[in-house]
Amino acid sequence: MLVYSIFRIILFFFRILPFRGLHFLADLVYIFLLYIIKYRRRVIEENLLACFPNMSEIERYSLVKKTYRNLADILIEGIKGLLLSKEEIFSRNTFIKASIVNEYLEKGQSVICVCGHYNNWEWTVLGIGYHFQNKAIGIYKKISNSYVEKYIKQLRAKSSMLLLPTSETRKMVDEIPKGKLILLMADQNPSNVRDAIWVNFFNKETACLHGLEKYSKTYNLPVIYMGMQRVKRSFYTLEFTLLVENPAACKYGEITQRFMSMLEKTIIDDPSNWLWSHKRWKHTRSVNQL
């Protein structure tokens, strides 16, 4: 209960904090992460060096700082986003080519919308829930504290998105015939490498979650890529692009590769906005997985 009480106090503070104050707080968090605790500094530097080997040391250090800036902003914005109204979310998130999704949903055809942990993914959940009213499903990982978990789920669900923890994805099967948008953030490192799909990502063999491949091919769900870009601080665009129209015709692993290739292009366009602190390449493929 103590953790829950502290969390509610923090949320009250964020509720009354204007965005100017929010940005000042994010600046403080940025300094704390970069200069004081040096949060996962080694991981960030190793990832950047591996992905951009031809980048100069000065350029790489500049990118490290921008990475921390992005991380600080999305941490603070993520909390504030739980408290924003529908109108505020819409004013700060502009949807581009959302008609691609609507054309399927209006026909009662479910689709998978896939994205990475790029820019403010927390606002992605809220924005999609509000934009596609009562038509969106989000898969998420449960928070260990049950009180905080229940309260955050209530705040996120106000956007009308049906939220399913990873342990209850079987319930999604009942929703597929109803014409739903299934939101997957598929750039995490899989915990079970035996089920991983291996792709080429930044010229490295990379283990990926199998969910995108499994659900799209099993139910022949069109796959739509959603790219998020920061227009300016706390303002974003969400652009939809058809990635795969007929998954059943794709070879196993092809859909995941297409997604990761599209994500790689997005990252290269502005690398500071991806989650470089994530240990993305800690797994290597064993001989029996080749």
Side-chain angles (χ1 to χ4, degrees), residues 102-253:
N102 286 323
E103 287 174 4
Y104 286 106
L105 299 184
E106 288 169 2
K107 294 185 295 185
Q109 168 70 65
S110 288
V111 300
I112 290 178
C113 182
V114 63
C115 62
H117 286 78
Y118 187 82
N119 274 314
N120 193 333
W121 61 86
E122 283 288 347
W123 285 14
T124 297
V125 175
L126 297 167
I128 285 182
Y130 281 127
H131 192 88
F132 303 100
Q133 280 286 314
N134 301 309
K135 288 288 186 178
I137 302 172
I139 310 299
Y140 76 102
K141 187 175 181 179
K142 272 190 174 183
I143 298 171
S144 57
N145 186 291
S146 60
Y147 296 102
V148 175
E149 154 72 17
K150 182 179 179 180
Y151 187 63
I152 286 185
K153 188 174 182 179
Q154 289 175 348
L155 292 174
R156 285 173 169 168
K158 67 182 180 180
S159 70
S160 87
M161 178 175 281
L162 172 63
L163 294 167
L164 297 175
T166 51
S167 59
E168 298 177 14
T169 52
R170 62 188 180 279
K171 294 180 180 179
M172 184 177 68
V173 176
D174 296 330
E175 299 294 323
I176 289 175
K178 301 175 184 178
K180 296 294 180 75
L181 179 156
I182 301 165
L183 178 63
L184 297 180
M185 294 182 185
D187 60 337
Q188 300 101 319
N189 208 18
S191 55
N192 187 352
V193 187
R194 289 177 299 177
D195 295 331
I197 294 176
W198 293 85
V199 302
N200 183 287
F201 184 57
F202 279 98
N203 296 315
K204 284 177 284 296
E205 206 171 38
T206 305
C208 295
L209 296 168
H210 70 283
L212 171 61
E213 202 83 21
K214 174 184 175 181
Y215 294 118
S216 62
K217 290 185 70 64
T218 301
Y219 303 101
N220 202 30
L221 303 179
V223 179
I224 295 169
Y225 176 76
M226 196 211 70
M228 191 178 201
Q229 295 296 340
R230 182 181 284 110
V231 179
K232 59 181 180 179
R233 217 166 183 189
S234 301
F235 286 87
Y236 299 90
T237 60
L238 291 79
E239 183 171 1
F240 299 86
T241 304
L242 181 61
L243 197 66
V244 180
E245 187 167 20
N246 183 18
C250 295
K251 296 178 181 179
Y252 187 74

Side-chain angles (χ1 to χ4, degrees), residues 37-54:
I37 66 169
K38 299 180 179 179
Y39 174 73
R40 292 198 171 187
R41 177 68 173 269
R42 184 175 178 179
V43 174
I44 293 172
E45 291 180 341
E46 288 178 350
N47 282 340
L48 291 175
L49 179 60
C51 293
F52 302 102
N54 297 323

Side-chain angles (χ1 to χ4, degrees), residues 61-101:
Y61 179 63
S62 174
L63 187 49
V64 167
K65 292 198 293 183
K66 289 177 181 178
T67 297
Y68 279 113
R69 173 72 69 186
N70 174 64
L71 183 58
D73 275 4
I74 60 178
L75 283 172
I76 299 302
E77 287 177 0
I79 300 173
K80 182 70 171 179
L82 294 171
L83 309 166
L84 295 179
S85 67
K86 177 181 178 180
E87 292 72 26
E88 288 172 313
I89 287 291
F90 277 154
S91 70
R92 293 177 176 275
N93 291 274
T94 301
F95 285 73
I96 301 173
K97 299 180 182 177
S99 60
I100 294 175
V101 178

Side-chain angles (χ1 to χ4, degrees), residues 11-18 80 83:
L11 283 184
F12 174 78
F13 170 71
F14 272 79
R15 188 182 297 275
I16 62 175
L17 188 67
K80 182 70 171 179
L83 309 166

